């Protein structure tokens, strides 16, 4: 039946057995969505047409189609619990890993008063019976809670900074579209640039580049992007700004908010390359595989 066929076609057997969306090339070769996106991203970096690793036919978003039959067949294959390594039908696996597995990672119920213990579920009862946190004195707990407050405060600071920036008098934002280009070096490199845009009555450009953290090309899935903001117009006095790139309305990019600062002058009119804080390299590959990168840029002008 379908199971046999699914196995017979496997070009990416490891990834295929993982469930999720399956695509096939025009000749029917299968790949998982992650591998597909990775192939498109690689092709973009090398400025080549992406091809099926099996038959070398062209692949692209419009040339590949989802294979629902295989998705269903794979969803019925047994798969392994990540904690106890036992096999379960995929449909039961999620519940097993969340609620039933004796080896699933759990946290002490006194976590809220500072117990850092984490361990397999089958050790939880013993730990909780011995846990010293419920017998701590009020003063000891106060100290622990203070520490936890500090950590929490740091996390909140970022959001508070964004909220306070939002109360500035001069705020501008716009949708920006990074488009891919190649350098004209001997070995060309991919970079991205936006068309000129106007924010806060000044003309700007953003550039981005791919910045592989791995030198070894066969491990090149750890990808990051960095970007710089360039002021293109002449200004009469220095312009101190905070700026922030976030997901725009037309793309589903997972991006961590990071606020950068820079004082623009006519001589010092571009920022260093700073990390574009994409959640992980899977997201980064998704961006590279897409034709353009659409984001929203905020500029907050700091007035003294
Ligand atoms: C915007 O800039 C132009 C020239 O660069 C200037 O003439 C105009 O007054 C500026 N507008 C505002 C609102 O600052
Ligand atoms: C990557 O390539 C190097 C040298 O070509 C090799 O030694 C290494 O095992 C490869 N690593 C993987 C994960 O394929
Ligand atoms: C940006 O600054 C450099 C010198 O640092 C200058 O050569 C260039 O003309 C400036 N660009 C603009 C658009 O003002
Ligand atoms: C990658 O970007 C970071 C800043 O985002 C920079 O510090 C680093 O030097 C860059 N690495 C390469 C290889 O370009
Ligand atoms: Zn299990
Ligand atoms: Zn505990």
């Amino acid at each position: 039946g379908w199971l046999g066929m699914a196995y017979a076609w496997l070009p990416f057997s490891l990834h295929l057995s993982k469930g999720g969306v399956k695509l096939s090339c025009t000749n029917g070769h299968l790949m998982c969505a992650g591998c597909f996106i990775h192939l498109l991203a690689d092709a973009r970096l090398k400025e080549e047409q992406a091809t099926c690793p099996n038959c070398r036919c062209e692949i692209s978003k419009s040339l590949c189609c989802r294979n629902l039959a295989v998705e269903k067949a794979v969803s019925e294959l047994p798969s392994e619990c990540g904690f106890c390594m036992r096999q379960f039908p995929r449909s039961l696996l999620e519940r097993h890993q969340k609620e039933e597995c004796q080896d699933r990672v759990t946290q002490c119920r006194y976590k809220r008063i500072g117990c850092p213990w984490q361990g397999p579920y089958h050790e939880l009862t013993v730990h909780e019976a011995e846990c010293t946190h419920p017998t701590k004195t009020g003063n000891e707990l106060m100290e622990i809670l203070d520490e936890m407050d500090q950590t929490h405060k740091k996390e909140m600071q970022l959001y508070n900074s964004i909220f306070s920036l939002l109360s500035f008098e001069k705020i501008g934002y716009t949708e920006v579209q990074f488009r891919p280009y190649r350098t004209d070096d001997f070995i060309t490199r991919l970079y991205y640039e936006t068309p000129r845009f106007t924010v806060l009555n000044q003309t700007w450009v953003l550039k981005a580049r791919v910045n592989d953290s791995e030198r070894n090309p066969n491990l090149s899935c750890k990808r990051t992007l960095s970007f710089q903001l360039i002021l293109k117009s002449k200004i009469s006095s220095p312009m101190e700004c905070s700026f922030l790139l976030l997901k725009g309305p037309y793309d589903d990019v997972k991006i961590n908010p990071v606020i950068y600062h820079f004082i623009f002058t006519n001589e010092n009119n571009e920022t260093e390359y700073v990390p574009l804080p994409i959640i992980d390299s899977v997201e980064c590959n998704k961006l590279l595989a897409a034709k353009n990168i659409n984001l929203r840029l905020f500029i907050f002008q700091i007035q003294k």
Side-chain angles (χ1 to χ4, degrees), residues 107-111 114-117 127-128 130-134:
Q107 294 182 319
C108 174
R109 65 189 291 213
Y110 302 111
K111 178 179 180 250
C115 177
W117 188 89
H127 166 79
E128 284 179 353
E130 293 171 346
C131 183
T132 57
H133 278 74

Side-chain angles (χ1 to χ4, degrees), residues 31 72 89 232 275:
M31 55 205 100
K72 180 162 190 306
K232 286 292 185 184

Side-chain angles (χ1 to χ4, degrees), residues 114-129:
C115 177
W117 188 89
Q118 271 195 356
Y121 175 76
H122 63 81
E123 290 175 12
L124 181 65
T125 328
V126 174
H127 166 79
E128 284 179 353

Side-chain angles (χ1 to χ4, degrees), residues 81 83 92-106 121:
C81 166
F83 302 118
L92 300 182
L93 186 66
E94 191 180 339
R95 202 174 92 196
H96 167 81
Q97 292 194 137
K98 263 200 185 133
E99 296 168 19
E100 291 161 359
C101 182
Q102 296 294 301
D103 293 340
R104 70 186 191 272
V105 177
T106 49
Y121 175 76

Side-chain angles (χ1 to χ4, degrees), residues 46-47 182-190:
K46 296 182 197 144
E47 205 181 13
R182 316 286 315 180
T183 59
D184 48 16
D185 304 341
F186 179 61
I187 299 172
T188 65
R189 283 182 69 92
L190 174 73

Side-chain angles (χ1 to χ4, degrees), residues 7 77-81 84-90 93 96:
Y7 280 127
L77 290 175
S79 51
E80 193 172 84
C81 166
C84 69
M85 311 296 174
R86 284 162 59 208
Q87 302 264 325
F88 294 90
R90 186 175 300 280
L93 186 66
H96 167 81

Side-chain angles (χ1 to χ4, degrees), residues 25-297:
C25 78
T26 45
N27 295 327
H29 295 117
L30 285 169
M31 55 205 100
C32 76
C35 292
F36 175 66
I37 293 295
H38 195 93
L39 289 170
L40 293 189
D42 273 348
R44 167 66 41 78
L45 284 170
K46 296 182 197 144
E47 205 181 13
E48 285 169 358
Q49 168 66 45
T51 56
C52 167
N54 265 39
C55 67
R56 300 280 147 212
C57 74
E58 288 189 7
I59 58 174
S60 71
K61 281 188 177 160
S62 52
L63 286 174
C64 287
C65 54
R66 276 181 74 172
N67 195 318
L68 297 173
V70 174
E71 286 173 26
K72 180 162 190 306
V74 170
S75 78
E76 287 163 8
L77 290 175
S79 51
E80 193 172 84
C81 166
F83 302 118
C84 69
M85 311 296 174
R86 284 162 59 208
Q87 302 264 325
F88 294 90
R90 186 175 300 280
S91 51
L92 300 182
L93 186 66
E94 191 180 339
R95 202 174 92 196
H96 167 81
Q97 292 194 137
K98 263 200 185 133
E99 296 168 19
E100 291 161 359
C101 182
Q102 296 294 301
D103 293 340
R104 70 186 191 272
V105 177
T106 49
Q107 294 182 319
C108 174
R109 65 189 291 213
Y110 302 111
K111 178 179 180 250
R112 285 159 60 82
I113 49 173
C115 177
W117 188 89
Q118 271 195 356
Y121 175 76
H122 63 81
E123 290 175 12
L124 181 65
T125 328
V126 174
H127 166 79
E128 284 179 353
E130 293 171 346
C131 183
T132 57
H133 278 74
T135 57
K136 287 198 189 296
T137 66
N139 275 334
E140 284 169 327
L141 287 181
M142 286 289 280
E143 262 173 47
I144 292 169
L145 292 177
D146 274 348
E147 262 169 49
M148 291 166 74
D149 281 351
Q150 290 303 324
T151 315
H152 183 62
K153 214 164 149 186
K154 277 201 195 113
E155 288 167 8
M156 287 302 292
Q157 253 161 16
L158 169 70
Y159 294 96
N160 288 333
S161 318
I162 294 175
F163 287 132
S164 63
L165 287 174
L166 286 171
S167 68
F168 278 21
E169 187 186 340
K170 293 206 170 174
I171 303 175
Y173 73 90
T174 188
E175 273 56 79
V176 289
Q177 184 171 70
F178 289 90
R179 298 175 183 168
Y181 297 95
R182 316 286 315 180
T183 59
D184 48 16
D185 304 341
F186 179 61
I187 299 172
T188 65
R189 283 182 69 92
L190 174 73
Y191 70 98
Y192 286 82
E193 192 167 333
T194 66
R196 290 178 176 222
F197 57 88
T198 304
V199 170
L200 294 174
N201 204 28
Q202 307 296 342
T203 310
W204 310 83
V205 161
L206 280 161
K207 285 189 185 173
R209 62 184 185 199
V210 185
N211 165 315
D212 275 80
S213 53
E214 299 283 347
R215 296 250 167 76
N216 188 343
N218 61 1
L219 296 170
S220 69
C221 25
K222 274 198 192 155
R223 280 181 188 139
T224 57
L225 290 169
S226 52
F227 75 100
Q228 71 174 166
L229 177 61
I230 302 161
L231 174 66
K232 286 292 185 184
S233 33
K234 292 281 175 220
I235 45 179
S236 50
S237 57
M239 197 174 166
E240 183 172 358
C241 296
S242 294
F243 58 97
L244 177 68
L245 276 174
L246 290 177
K247 172 181 139 36
Y250 314 117
D251 247 351
D252 189 24
V253 184
K254 295 201 184 80
I255 191 165
N256 288 314
V258 175
I259 304 165
Y260 294 108
H261 300 274
F262 195 74
I263 302 175
F264 290 91
T265 63
N266 288 329
E267 295 71 42
N268 213 353
N269 51 19
E270 50 186 65
T271 70
E272 296 288 301
Y273 272 90
V274 292
L276 179 62
I278 299 163
I279 301 263
D280 56 29
S281 28
V282 175
E283 283 296 312
C284 188
N285 275 335
K286 261 201 232 169
L287 282 183
L288 293 174
K291 195 153 183 283
N292 299 310
I293 302 176
N294 298 302
L295 296 171
R296 181 173 271 176
L297 171 75

